[in-house]
Short mmCIF file of all heavy atoms in Angstrom, two decimals:
data_model
loop_
_atom_site.label_atom_id
_atom_site.label_comp_id
_atom_site.label_asym_id
_atom_site.label_seq_id
_atom_site.Cartn_x
_atom_site.Cartn_y
_atom_site.Cartn_z
N MET A 11 78.02 124.11 107.02
CA MET A 11 78.55 123.20 106.01
C MET A 11 77.65 121.98 105.92
O MET A 11 77.22 121.43 106.92
CB MET A 11 79.97 122.78 106.38
CG MET A 11 80.59 121.85 105.38
SD MET A 11 82.33 121.59 105.78
CE MET A 11 82.63 120.16 104.85
N SER A 12 77.37 121.57 104.70
CA SER A 12 76.53 120.40 104.47
C SER A 12 77.30 119.11 104.76
O SER A 12 78.52 119.08 104.70
CB SER A 12 76.06 120.36 103.02
OG SER A 12 75.25 121.46 102.73
N GLU A 13 76.56 118.06 105.00
CA GLU A 13 77.16 116.74 105.21
C GLU A 13 77.71 116.23 103.88
O GLU A 13 77.10 116.40 102.82
CB GLU A 13 76.10 115.78 105.72
CG GLU A 13 76.62 114.38 105.92
CD GLU A 13 75.53 113.42 106.38
OE1 GLU A 13 74.40 113.85 106.67
OE2 GLU A 13 75.83 112.21 106.44
N ILE A 14 78.88 115.61 103.93
CA ILE A 14 79.49 115.02 102.75
C ILE A 14 78.96 113.59 102.59
O ILE A 14 78.98 112.81 103.54
CB ILE A 14 81.02 115.00 102.85
CG1 ILE A 14 81.55 116.42 103.02
CG2 ILE A 14 81.63 114.33 101.61
CD1 ILE A 14 83.04 116.48 103.36
N HIS A 15 78.49 113.27 101.40
CA HIS A 15 78.00 111.93 101.08
C HIS A 15 79.10 111.22 100.30
O HIS A 15 79.30 111.48 99.12
CB HIS A 15 76.71 112.01 100.25
CG HIS A 15 75.67 112.90 100.86
ND1 HIS A 15 74.91 112.52 101.95
CD2 HIS A 15 75.30 114.16 100.56
CE1 HIS A 15 74.11 113.51 102.28
NE2 HIS A 15 74.32 114.52 101.45
N TRP A 16 79.85 110.34 100.98
CA TRP A 16 80.99 109.65 100.38
C TRP A 16 80.55 108.42 99.60
O TRP A 16 79.71 107.67 100.06
CB TRP A 16 81.99 109.23 101.46
CG TRP A 16 82.67 110.38 102.16
CD1 TRP A 16 82.41 110.84 103.41
CD2 TRP A 16 83.70 111.21 101.63
NE1 TRP A 16 83.23 111.91 103.69
CE2 TRP A 16 84.03 112.15 102.61
CE3 TRP A 16 84.39 111.24 100.41
CZ2 TRP A 16 85.02 113.11 102.43
CZ3 TRP A 16 85.36 112.20 100.23
CH2 TRP A 16 85.67 113.12 101.22
N GLU A 17 81.14 108.24 98.43
CA GLU A 17 80.96 107.01 97.64
C GLU A 17 81.86 105.93 98.22
O GLU A 17 82.75 106.21 99.02
CB GLU A 17 81.36 107.27 96.18
CG GLU A 17 80.57 108.35 95.49
CD GLU A 17 79.16 107.93 95.16
OE1 GLU A 17 78.93 106.73 94.94
OE2 GLU A 17 78.29 108.81 95.13
N ASP A 18 81.64 104.68 97.81
CA ASP A 18 82.55 103.61 98.20
C ASP A 18 83.94 103.94 97.70
O ASP A 18 84.11 104.61 96.68
CB ASP A 18 82.10 102.27 97.61
CG ASP A 18 80.81 101.76 98.24
OD1 ASP A 18 80.51 102.16 99.39
OD2 ASP A 18 80.11 100.98 97.58
N ALA A 19 84.94 103.46 98.41
CA ALA A 19 86.34 103.75 98.05
C ALA A 19 86.71 103.09 96.73
O ALA A 19 86.24 101.99 96.41
CB ALA A 19 87.26 103.26 99.16
N PHE A 20 87.54 103.78 95.97
CA PHE A 20 88.15 103.21 94.76
C PHE A 20 89.58 102.89 95.12
O PHE A 20 90.34 103.76 95.53
CB PHE A 20 88.11 104.22 93.60
CG PHE A 20 88.92 103.76 92.43
CD1 PHE A 20 88.40 102.83 91.55
CD2 PHE A 20 90.20 104.23 92.23
CE1 PHE A 20 89.15 102.38 90.47
CE2 PHE A 20 90.96 103.80 91.16
CZ PHE A 20 90.43 102.87 90.28
N CYS A 21 89.95 101.63 94.99
CA CYS A 21 91.29 101.18 95.37
C CYS A 21 92.04 100.66 94.15
O CYS A 21 91.56 99.77 93.45
CB CYS A 21 91.21 100.08 96.42
SG CYS A 21 90.40 100.62 97.94
N GLY A 22 93.20 101.23 93.92
CA GLY A 22 94.08 100.74 92.87
C GLY A 22 95.05 99.72 93.43
O GLY A 22 94.86 99.20 94.53
N GLU A 23 96.09 99.46 92.70
CA GLU A 23 97.11 98.52 93.16
C GLU A 23 97.78 99.06 94.41
O GLU A 23 97.97 100.26 94.56
CB GLU A 23 98.14 98.30 92.06
CG GLU A 23 97.58 97.61 90.84
CD GLU A 23 98.63 97.41 89.77
OE1 GLU A 23 99.83 97.32 90.11
OE2 GLU A 23 98.25 97.36 88.59
N GLY A 24 98.15 98.17 95.30
CA GLY A 24 98.84 98.57 96.51
C GLY A 24 97.96 99.23 97.55
O GLY A 24 98.44 99.92 98.43
N ASN A 25 96.65 99.04 97.42
CA ASN A 25 95.68 99.57 98.38
C ASN A 25 95.71 101.09 98.49
O ASN A 25 95.53 101.65 99.55
CB ASN A 25 95.87 98.94 99.76
CG ASN A 25 95.54 97.47 99.75
OD1 ASN A 25 94.64 97.06 99.04
ND2 ASN A 25 96.25 96.68 100.52
N ASN A 26 95.98 101.77 97.38
CA ASN A 26 95.85 103.22 97.34
C ASN A 26 94.38 103.53 97.13
O ASN A 26 93.90 103.49 96.01
CB ASN A 26 96.69 103.81 96.21
CG ASN A 26 98.16 103.55 96.41
OD1 ASN A 26 98.65 103.66 97.51
ND2 ASN A 26 98.85 103.21 95.35
N CYS A 27 93.67 103.82 98.19
CA CYS A 27 92.22 103.97 98.11
C CYS A 27 91.81 105.44 98.25
O CYS A 27 92.22 106.13 99.17
CB CYS A 27 91.54 103.18 99.22
SG CYS A 27 91.86 101.41 99.11
N PHE A 28 90.97 105.88 97.32
CA PHE A 28 90.45 107.23 97.31
C PHE A 28 88.93 107.19 97.38
O PHE A 28 88.31 106.26 96.91
CB PHE A 28 90.89 107.97 96.04
CG PHE A 28 92.36 108.18 95.97
CD1 PHE A 28 93.18 107.25 95.35
CD2 PHE A 28 92.95 109.30 96.55
CE1 PHE A 28 94.55 107.43 95.30
CE2 PHE A 28 94.32 109.49 96.50
CZ PHE A 28 95.12 108.55 95.87
N ARG A 29 88.37 108.24 97.95
CA ARG A 29 86.92 108.36 98.02
C ARG A 29 86.50 109.67 97.38
O ARG A 29 87.18 110.69 97.52
CB ARG A 29 86.44 108.33 99.46
CG ARG A 29 86.73 106.96 100.10
CD ARG A 29 86.11 106.82 101.43
NE ARG A 29 84.67 106.58 101.27
CZ ARG A 29 83.84 106.54 102.29
NH1 ARG A 29 84.27 106.72 103.51
NH2 ARG A 29 82.56 106.31 102.10
N ILE A 30 85.38 109.62 96.69
CA ILE A 30 84.77 110.79 96.07
C ILE A 30 83.48 111.07 96.83
O ILE A 30 82.74 110.14 97.15
CB ILE A 30 84.44 110.52 94.58
CG1 ILE A 30 85.68 110.10 93.81
CG2 ILE A 30 83.73 111.70 93.96
CD1 ILE A 30 86.57 111.19 93.36
N GLY A 31 83.22 112.32 97.11
CA GLY A 31 82.00 112.68 97.81
C GLY A 31 81.38 113.94 97.24
O GLY A 31 82.02 114.68 96.50
N THR A 32 80.14 114.16 97.59
CA THR A 32 79.41 115.38 97.22
C THR A 32 78.60 115.84 98.43
O THR A 32 78.37 115.07 99.36
CB THR A 32 78.46 115.14 96.04
OG1 THR A 32 77.55 114.09 96.37
CG2 THR A 32 79.22 114.76 94.77
N ASP A 33 78.18 117.09 98.38
CA ASP A 33 77.27 117.58 99.41
C ASP A 33 76.05 118.21 98.74
O ASP A 33 75.99 118.31 97.51
CB ASP A 33 77.96 118.53 100.38
CG ASP A 33 78.40 119.85 99.76
OD1 ASP A 33 77.91 120.22 98.67
OD2 ASP A 33 79.24 120.53 100.37
N ASP A 34 75.10 118.62 99.53
CA ASP A 34 73.85 119.17 99.00
C ASP A 34 74.02 120.57 98.43
O ASP A 34 73.11 121.09 97.78
CB ASP A 34 72.78 119.18 100.09
CG ASP A 34 72.39 117.77 100.52
OD1 ASP A 34 72.49 116.85 99.69
OD2 ASP A 34 72.01 117.60 101.70
N ASP A 35 75.17 121.20 98.64
CA ASP A 35 75.45 122.54 98.12
C ASP A 35 76.12 122.50 96.75
O ASP A 35 76.48 123.55 96.21
CB ASP A 35 76.32 123.33 99.09
CG ASP A 35 75.60 123.60 100.41
OD1 ASP A 35 74.37 123.76 100.39
OD2 ASP A 35 76.29 123.66 101.45
N GLY A 36 76.35 121.30 96.19
CA GLY A 36 76.96 121.19 94.88
C GLY A 36 78.47 121.13 94.87
O GLY A 36 79.09 121.35 93.83
N ASN A 37 79.07 120.83 96.00
CA ASN A 37 80.52 120.71 96.09
C ASN A 37 80.96 119.27 95.91
O ASN A 37 80.23 118.35 96.27
CB ASN A 37 81.03 121.23 97.44
CG ASN A 37 80.68 122.69 97.63
OD1 ASN A 37 80.98 123.52 96.80
ND2 ASN A 37 80.04 123.00 98.74
N GLY A 38 82.16 119.08 95.37
CA GLY A 38 82.75 117.75 95.23
C GLY A 38 83.96 117.62 96.12
O GLY A 38 84.65 118.62 96.41
N TYR A 39 84.25 116.40 96.57
CA TYR A 39 85.34 116.14 97.50
C TYR A 39 86.12 114.92 97.07
O TYR A 39 85.54 113.96 96.55
CB TYR A 39 84.78 115.88 98.92
CG TYR A 39 83.98 117.02 99.46
CD1 TYR A 39 82.64 117.18 99.13
CD2 TYR A 39 84.56 117.95 100.31
CE1 TYR A 39 81.90 118.24 99.63
CE2 TYR A 39 83.83 119.01 100.81
CZ TYR A 39 82.50 119.15 100.46
OH TYR A 39 81.77 120.19 100.95
N ILE A 40 87.44 114.94 97.32
CA ILE A 40 88.30 113.78 97.12
C ILE A 40 89.11 113.62 98.40
O ILE A 40 89.64 114.60 98.94
CB ILE A 40 89.27 113.97 95.94
CG1 ILE A 40 88.51 114.20 94.64
CG2 ILE A 40 90.19 112.73 95.81
CD1 ILE A 40 89.41 114.54 93.47
N SER A 41 89.21 112.37 98.87
CA SER A 41 89.97 112.09 100.09
C SER A 41 90.59 110.70 99.99
O SER A 41 90.15 109.86 99.22
CB SER A 41 89.04 112.15 101.30
OG SER A 41 89.75 111.88 102.48
N VAL A 42 91.60 110.49 100.80
CA VAL A 42 92.16 109.15 100.97
C VAL A 42 91.27 108.42 101.96
O VAL A 42 90.83 109.01 102.97
CB VAL A 42 93.61 109.25 101.51
CG1 VAL A 42 94.16 107.87 101.84
CG2 VAL A 42 94.50 109.96 100.51
N ARG A 43 90.96 107.15 101.67
CA ARG A 43 90.10 106.37 102.57
C ARG A 43 90.70 106.36 103.97
O ARG A 43 91.89 106.16 104.16
CB ARG A 43 89.94 104.95 102.06
CG ARG A 43 88.99 104.14 102.95
CD ARG A 43 88.81 102.75 102.47
NE ARG A 43 90.08 102.03 102.65
CZ ARG A 43 90.27 100.77 102.32
NH1 ARG A 43 89.32 100.08 101.77
NH2 ARG A 43 91.43 100.21 102.52
N GLY A 44 89.87 106.62 104.95
CA GLY A 44 90.29 106.65 106.34
C GLY A 44 90.75 108.02 106.80
O GLY A 44 90.99 108.24 107.98
N GLN A 45 90.88 108.95 105.85
CA GLN A 45 91.29 110.32 106.19
C GLN A 45 90.30 111.33 105.61
O GLN A 45 90.67 112.37 105.09
CB GLN A 45 92.70 110.58 105.64
CG GLN A 45 93.74 109.67 106.22
CD GLN A 45 95.12 109.93 105.63
OE1 GLN A 45 95.38 110.97 105.06
NE2 GLN A 45 95.99 108.97 105.78
N GLU A 46 89.02 111.00 105.73
CA GLU A 46 87.97 111.82 105.13
C GLU A 46 87.88 113.21 105.74
O GLU A 46 87.25 114.09 105.18
CB GLU A 46 86.62 111.10 105.20
CG GLU A 46 86.49 109.93 104.26
CD GLU A 46 87.13 108.64 104.77
OE1 GLU A 46 87.69 108.61 105.88
OE2 GLU A 46 87.06 107.65 104.02
N ASP A 47 88.50 113.42 106.90
CA ASP A 47 88.49 114.76 107.50
C ASP A 47 89.51 115.68 106.83
O ASP A 47 89.54 116.88 107.08
CB ASP A 47 88.74 114.67 109.00
CG ASP A 47 90.07 114.01 109.34
OD1 ASP A 47 90.53 113.16 108.57
OD2 ASP A 47 90.64 114.35 110.40
N GLN A 48 90.37 115.12 105.96
CA GLN A 48 91.34 115.89 105.19
C GLN A 48 91.03 115.68 103.72
O GLN A 48 91.28 114.60 103.19
CB GLN A 48 92.75 115.41 105.51
CG GLN A 48 93.12 115.55 106.96
CD GLN A 48 94.47 114.94 107.25
OE1 GLN A 48 95.34 114.89 106.40
NE2 GLN A 48 94.65 114.48 108.47
N TYR A 49 90.47 116.66 103.07
CA TYR A 49 89.99 116.46 101.71
C TYR A 49 90.31 117.67 100.84
O TYR A 49 90.59 118.76 101.31
CB TYR A 49 88.48 116.22 101.70
CG TYR A 49 87.68 117.23 102.51
CD1 TYR A 49 87.40 118.48 101.99
CD2 TYR A 49 87.22 116.91 103.78
CE1 TYR A 49 86.67 119.40 102.73
CE2 TYR A 49 86.49 117.83 104.52
CZ TYR A 49 86.22 119.06 103.99
OH TYR A 49 85.51 119.97 104.72
N LEU A 50 90.26 117.42 99.54
CA LEU A 50 90.35 118.45 98.51
C LEU A 50 88.92 118.71 98.07
O LEU A 50 88.16 117.77 97.86
CB LEU A 50 91.18 117.93 97.34
CG LEU A 50 91.23 118.79 96.10
CD1 LEU A 50 92.11 120.00 96.36
CD2 LEU A 50 91.77 118.00 94.93
N THR A 51 88.54 119.97 97.95
CA THR A 51 87.17 120.28 97.56
C THR A 51 87.13 121.37 96.49
O THR A 51 88.01 122.22 96.42
CB THR A 51 86.31 120.70 98.78
OG1 THR A 51 84.96 120.86 98.36
CG2 THR A 51 86.81 121.98 99.39
N ASP A 52 86.13 121.29 95.66
CA ASP A 52 85.83 122.29 94.64
C ASP A 52 84.39 122.04 94.22
O ASP A 52 83.72 121.18 94.78
CB ASP A 52 86.79 122.15 93.45
CG ASP A 52 86.97 123.46 92.68
OD1 ASP A 52 85.99 124.24 92.60
OD2 ASP A 52 88.05 123.69 92.13
N SER A 53 83.93 122.74 93.21
CA SER A 53 82.56 122.52 92.75
C SER A 53 82.44 121.13 92.12
O SER A 53 83.43 120.55 91.68
CB SER A 53 82.16 123.59 91.72
OG SER A 53 82.90 123.41 90.53
N SER A 54 81.24 120.62 92.08
CA SER A 54 81.02 119.32 91.43
C SER A 54 81.40 119.39 89.96
O SER A 54 81.92 118.43 89.39
CB SER A 54 79.57 118.88 91.59
OG SER A 54 79.29 118.55 92.93
N ASP A 55 81.17 120.53 89.31
CA ASP A 55 81.56 120.69 87.91
C ASP A 55 83.07 120.59 87.74
O ASP A 55 83.56 119.97 86.80
CB ASP A 55 81.07 122.02 87.35
CG ASP A 55 79.58 122.04 87.10
OD1 ASP A 55 78.98 120.96 86.91
OD2 ASP A 55 79.01 123.14 87.07
N ALA A 56 83.82 121.21 88.64
CA ALA A 56 85.28 121.14 88.57
C ALA A 56 85.75 119.70 88.78
O ALA A 56 86.66 119.24 88.08
CB ALA A 56 85.90 122.06 89.61
N LEU A 57 85.14 118.99 89.72
CA LEU A 57 85.50 117.59 89.96
C LEU A 57 85.17 116.75 88.74
O LEU A 57 85.97 115.91 88.30
CB LEU A 57 84.77 117.05 91.19
CG LEU A 57 85.00 115.59 91.54
CD1 LEU A 57 86.48 115.31 91.79
CD2 LEU A 57 84.18 115.20 92.75
N ARG A 58 84.01 116.98 88.13
CA ARG A 58 83.60 116.25 86.93
C ARG A 58 84.61 116.49 85.79
O ARG A 58 85.03 115.57 85.10
CB ARG A 58 82.20 116.71 86.53
CG ARG A 58 81.55 115.89 85.47
CD ARG A 58 80.10 116.33 85.20
NE ARG A 58 79.26 116.21 86.39
CZ ARG A 58 78.78 117.24 87.10
NH1 ARG A 58 79.02 118.47 86.75
NH2 ARG A 58 78.02 117.02 88.16
N ASN A 59 85.03 117.75 85.61
CA ASN A 59 86.01 118.07 84.57
C ASN A 59 87.35 117.43 84.84
O ASN A 59 88.02 116.95 83.91
CB ASN A 59 86.15 119.58 84.42
CG ASN A 59 84.95 120.21 83.77
OD1 ASN A 59 84.26 119.57 82.97
ND2 ASN A 59 84.69 121.45 84.10
N LEU A 60 87.77 117.39 86.10
CA LEU A 60 89.02 116.73 86.46
C LEU A 60 88.98 115.26 86.09
O LEU A 60 89.92 114.73 85.48
CB LEU A 60 89.29 116.89 87.97
CG LEU A 60 90.47 116.10 88.52
CD1 LEU A 60 91.79 116.60 87.95
CD2 LEU A 60 90.48 116.14 90.04
N ILE A 61 87.90 114.59 86.41
CA ILE A 61 87.77 113.17 86.09
C ILE A 61 87.77 112.95 84.58
O ILE A 61 88.44 112.04 84.08
CB ILE A 61 86.51 112.58 86.76
CG1 ILE A 61 86.69 112.57 88.28
CG2 ILE A 61 86.20 111.18 86.23
CD1 ILE A 61 85.45 112.26 89.07
N ARG A 62 87.08 113.81 83.84
CA ARG A 62 87.09 113.70 82.37
C ARG A 62 88.49 113.85 81.80
O ARG A 62 88.90 113.10 80.91
CB ARG A 62 86.18 114.75 81.75
CG ARG A 62 84.73 114.42 81.85
CD ARG A 62 83.91 115.44 81.08
NE ARG A 62 82.50 115.20 81.29
CZ ARG A 62 81.63 116.12 81.69
NH1 ARG A 62 82.01 117.35 81.91
NH2 ARG A 62 80.37 115.79 81.87
N GLU A 63 89.24 114.81 82.31
CA GLU A 63 90.61 115.04 81.82
C GLU A 63 91.51 113.85 82.16
O GLU A 63 92.33 113.44 81.33
CB GLU A 63 91.17 116.33 82.42
CG GLU A 63 90.44 117.58 82.00
CD GLU A 63 90.61 117.92 80.52
OE1 GLU A 63 91.71 117.70 79.98
OE2 GLU A 63 89.64 118.40 79.92
N ILE A 64 91.35 113.30 83.34
CA ILE A 64 92.14 112.11 83.72
C ILE A 64 91.80 110.95 82.80
O ILE A 64 92.69 110.26 82.28
CB ILE A 64 91.93 111.77 85.20
CG1 ILE A 64 92.58 112.82 86.09
CG2 ILE A 64 92.50 110.37 85.51
CD1 ILE A 64 92.22 112.71 87.56
N LYS A 65 90.51 110.74 82.58
CA LYS A 65 90.09 109.64 81.71
C LYS A 65 90.56 109.84 80.26
O LYS A 65 90.79 108.88 79.55
CB LYS A 65 88.56 109.50 81.75
CG LYS A 65 88.06 108.93 83.07
CD LYS A 65 86.55 108.90 83.13
CE LYS A 65 86.00 107.80 82.30
NZ LYS A 65 84.54 107.64 82.46
N ALA A 66 90.72 111.08 79.84
CA ALA A 66 91.19 111.39 78.50
C ALA A 66 92.71 111.23 78.36
O ALA A 66 93.25 111.40 77.28
CB ALA A 66 90.80 112.81 78.12
N GLY A 67 93.38 110.90 79.46
CA GLY A 67 94.81 110.63 79.40
C GLY A 67 95.70 111.81 79.72
O GLY A 67 96.93 111.70 79.61
N LYS A 68 95.14 112.91 80.17
CA LYS A 68 95.95 114.10 80.40
C LYS A 68 96.82 114.02 81.66
O LYS A 68 97.63 114.90 81.89
CB LYS A 68 95.07 115.33 80.42
CG LYS A 68 94.44 115.56 79.07
CD LYS A 68 93.94 116.94 78.90
CE LYS A 68 93.40 117.09 77.47
NZ LYS A 68 92.82 118.39 77.29
N ALA A 69 96.65 112.97 82.45
CA ALA A 69 97.51 112.78 83.62
C ALA A 69 98.38 111.53 83.48
O ALA A 69 99.04 111.12 84.42
CB ALA A 69 96.66 112.67 84.88
N ASP A 70 98.38 110.92 82.28
CA ASP A 70 99.15 109.69 82.07
C ASP A 70 100.64 109.87 82.34
O ASP A 70 101.32 108.93 82.71
CB ASP A 70 98.93 109.15 80.66
CG ASP A 70 97.56 108.54 80.47
OD1 ASP A 70 96.79 108.46 81.45
OD2 ASP A 70 97.26 108.15 79.32
N HIS A 71 101.15 111.06 82.15
CA HIS A 71 102.58 111.30 82.39
C HIS A 71 102.95 111.13 83.87
O HIS A 71 104.11 111.01 84.20
CB HIS A 71 102.97 112.69 81.90
CG HIS A 71 102.30 113.81 82.66
ND1 HIS A 71 100.98 114.15 82.46
CD2 HIS A 71 102.77 114.62 83.63
CE1 HIS A 71 100.67 115.14 83.27
NE2 HIS A 71 101.74 115.45 84.00
N LEU A 72 101.96 111.09 84.75
CA LEU A 72 102.21 110.88 86.17
C LEU A 72 102.35 109.41 86.55
O LEU A 72 102.76 109.08 87.65
CB LEU A 72 101.08 111.51 87.00
CG LEU A 72 100.88 113.01 86.82
CD1 LEU A 72 99.62 113.46 87.54
CD2 LEU A 72 102.10 113.77 87.29
N LEU A 73 102.00 108.53 85.61
CA LEU A 73 102.05 107.09 85.89
C LEU A 73 103.45 106.55 85.72
O LEU A 73 104.24 106.96 84.98
CB LEU A 73 101.09 106.34 84.96
CG LEU A 73 99.63 106.77 85.07
CD1 LEU A 73 98.81 106.04 84.02
CD2 LEU A 73 99.09 106.49 86.44
#
């Protein structure tokens, strides 16, 4: 398994902090800050599409 390269944490209100990472094999990762050993992973393309859909408002019903 390749090393995960984590970005700086993104923190919303209430200190809900998430980190996005990638590896050299083209995988993308999402984790809660401080719990990087427990992550959701898929291809970088899938992660990119997820972020696009969220930005387009398709998860607004969760707010």
Side-chain angles (χ1 to χ4, degrees):
M11 180 172 163
S12 297
E13 178 182 354
I14 301 170
H15 309 284
W16 294 105
E17 300 287 330
D18 290 336
F20 171 80
C21 299
E23 294 180 27
N25 293 325
N26 297 319
C27 298
F28 294 91
R29 295 188 76 186
I30 303 279
T32 57
D33 67 18
D34 295 330
D35 295 328
N37 299 307
Y39 301 83
I40 301 174
S41 180
V42 174
R43 183 180 68 180
Q45 299 178 19
E46 288 81 0
D47 59 330
Q48 300 175 28
Y49 49 79
L50 172 74
T51 186
D52 205 327
S53 68
S54 291
D55 286 336
L57 178 59
R58 191 175 300 109
N59 288 331
L60 173 66
I61 292 169
R62 283 186 186 127
E63 296 292 323
I64 290 170
K65 288 175 75 173
K68 295 199 176 176
D70 288 355
H71 65 284
L72 300 172
L73 301 175

